[in-house]
Amino acid sequence: MTLQKLRKKIDAIDSHLMALLNERARLSMAIGREKIKSKKGIYAPAREKQVLARIKALNKGPMTVSACEAIYREIMSGSLALEKPLKVACLGTEGAYSYLATRKKFGSQVSIDSCGNIYEVFQKVELRDCDYGVVPIENSTEGAVTDTFDLLVDSDLKICSQVLQKIEHCLISRSPLEKIKVVYSNPNVFGQCRSWLKGHLPKAAQISLSSTTQSVKMVAGKKGAAAIASRQAAEAYGVPVVRQNVNDIPHNTTRFLVIGVEDAAPTGTDRTSILFSIKDRVGALHAMLTPFFRNKINLTKIESRPSKKKAWDYYFFVDFEGHREDKNVKRALGQLEEMCKYLKVLGSYPVLA
């Protein structure tokens, strides 16, 4: 078959695809009207998981699973925008890792409200200035993002989804490596690049700022100054990349939470996050964990944070498999609540493949 005939076949398929996409869009608008009538949130994490799982099962190639997922995320992003214009708060501007995670989760058709710190993200959603917020919770190299943990204690917002963002740090500067005297970045980023900085810039001063994109803007007009941020941040602000992949561990990933006014419906493969405080007695923490064992619930994470109300008093953050509406989870939480001083369910949300 000639090149011209092959292209005509593609044109015919494109015409059919556009008709189907617009038919899908009209159905999405109808769904949006029903959601508004029933006062349900526009973004439905459980449905998102269902659609992506179905597309993965339907795909017989040669298109890759990741390519199909990227296409359908944009289709869903366009559908959400038709149902109701969404605004999502995140830390940092274009090129920040939170910004990249937000685009990865919600696509290009949502409006992003860039915030100067994590507290502002929570505040924007609490005041209903934004529909959702995206906040970092932990990094595979550096561990917990403590500001997010602390804000979850007092906030009424729920965790409704999560997104994993691969982190690839670059050294960004208008000066060559040997001329750099000071480096700007986020404190967590410095921790993720500790060995690289020690080996390549041992004498350079390290100045912490609230976001990586702020760091890039800071060094845009400075000689002898560098920022550590994403390649996308360097491109966004027109500052050259001096070195790529300066993070100490190649498989560096940050887990982000999506926060909103309600959590997600059950999907069958979910995660629940809770926090609790315990009475000060021998074996108290061990006792708090027994309800999960009795009810055959797998714990995936446990983290402690000072309560800031009393010396040596702690909150414990726990992630486990299951949804808060599952019978065994309800039973375990009921048993736990009888034993601890304070218990709060932060949200149940789908485990995305």
Side-chain angles (χ1 to χ4, degrees):
M1 193 177 292
T2 65
L3 180 62
Q4 187 177 9
K5 287 183 178 179
L6 288 168
R7 284 175 172 167
K8 280 187 176 180
K9 280 185 169 289
I10 286 178
D11 289 344
I13 291 170
D14 285 343
S15 297
H16 190 46
L17 280 174
M18 286 308 303
L20 290 173
L21 285 172
N22 280 307
E23 184 180 346
R24 189 186 194 280
R26 283 188 284 272
L27 291 170
S28 294
M29 292 170 71
I31 288 170
R33 290 191 290 271
E34 291 302 314
K35 286 179 180 177
I36 290 169
K37 281 182 189 177
S38 60
K39 296 182 180 180
K40 290 184 177 180
I42 293 296
Y43 172 55
R47 175 59 177 163
E48 172 192 46
K49 179 179 179 178
Q50 185 183 50
V51 169
L52 293 176
R54 187 168 182 272
I55 293 307
K56 183 178 179 180
L58 287 171
N59 180 34
K60 304 302 180 184
M63 287 197 63
T64 64
V65 171
S66 59
C68 290
E69 182 174 323
I71 290 167
Y72 265 82
R73 282 200 178 278
E74 280 304 312
I75 291 172
M76 289 188 288
S77 180
S79 297
L80 286 172
L82 289 171
E83 291 178 27
K84 174 186 176 294
L86 284 184
K87 185 184 283 189
V88 182
C90 76
L91 175 64
T93 54
E94 184 178 357
Y97 291 108
S98 292
Y99 191 100
L100 297 176
T102 303
R103 282 286 179 232
K104 180 179 179 180
K105 170 58 73 173
F106 288 98
S108 63
Q109 299 304 302
V110 301
S111 174
I112 294 182
D113 194 336
S114 296
C115 300
N117 52 60
I118 295 173
Y119 171 76
E120 190 180 346
V121 177
F122 273 81
Q123 190 176 46
K124 292 270 187 184
V125 184
E126 286 169 348
L127 295 175
R128 307 298 190 268
D129 292 336
C130 291
D131 300 286
Y132 300 96
V134 175
V135 292
I137 188 68
E138 62 178 333
N139 175 262
S140 59
T141 303
E142 198 61 11
V145 180
T146 56
D147 286 352
T148 300
F149 277 106
D150 290 343
L151 287 163
L152 285 168
V153 173
D154 295 319
S155 177
D156 290 330
L157 298 178
K158 298 291 186 182
I159 303 168
C160 62
S161 189
Q162 64 175 355
V163 56
L164 300 178
Q165 177 64 44
K166 185 171 175 56
I167 307 297
E168 297 176 333
H169 295 309
C170 297
L171 187 75
I172 300 163
S173 178
R174 297 197 184 279
S175 301
L177 185 66
E178 63 273 13
K179 298 287 186 182
I180 293 171
K181 306 297 181 187
V182 59
V183 182
Y184 295 85
S185 199
N186 178 278
N188 283 317
V189 172
F190 282 130
Q192 296 163 33
C193 304
R194 189 177 291 113
S195 296
W196 191 95
L197 288 167
K198 186 177 180 180
H200 294 83
L201 291 169
K203 295 182 180 179
Q206 297 177 14
I207 298 180
S208 295
L209 298 176
S210 61
S211 74
T212 53
T213 47
Q214 186 183 357
S215 305
V216 178
K217 286 189 275 187
M218 179 69 73
V219 306
K222 286 188 176 184
K223 290 183 178 180
I228 299 178
S230 70
R231 173 181 50 80
Q232 292 89 337
E235 292 171 355
Y237 297 101
V239 186
V241 171
V242 178
R243 291 285 190 280
Q244 294 186 23
N245 299 321
V246 301
N247 31 283
D248 296 335
I249 297 176
H251 305 295
N252 190 18
T253 303
T254 295
R255 177 183 166 220
F256 290 85
L257 302 177
V258 180
I259 53 174
V261 296
E262 58 186 16
D263 57 3
T267 69
T269 50
D270 303 289
R271 174 182 286 180
T272 297
S273 297
I274 65 170
L275 71 85
F276 61 84
S277 61
I278 62 177
K279 297 169 184 177
D280 186 14
R281 66 172 190 265
V282 175
L285 180 57
H286 178 270
M288 297 298 133
L289 301 180
T290 54
F292 299 103
F293 176 76
R294 287 175 188 160
N295 291 282
K296 299 181 180 180
I297 296 170
N298 184 39
L299 303 184
T300 58
K301 181 180 176 63
I302 183 165
E303 187 89 27
S304 65
R305 288 289 298 150
S307 70
K308 300 184 179 180
K309 296 177 180 178
K310 179 182 175 184
W312 314 118
D313 190 29
Y314 290 86
Y315 286 116
F316 292 90
F317 293 81
V318 174
D319 289 350
F320 57 85
E321 293 177 358
H323 194 281
R324 59 179 173 77
E325 293 183 5
D326 296 345
K327 287 183 179 179
N328 63 329
V329 172
K330 279 185 175 180
R331 192 162 50 244
L333 292 177
Q335 293 167 5
L336 178 63
E337 191 168 24
E338 291 176 359
M339 301 161 63
C340 62
K341 289 197 297 183
Y342 175 73
L343 172 66
K344 180 179 182 182
V345 178
L346 300 172
S348 295
Y349 45 96
V351 176
L352 299 178

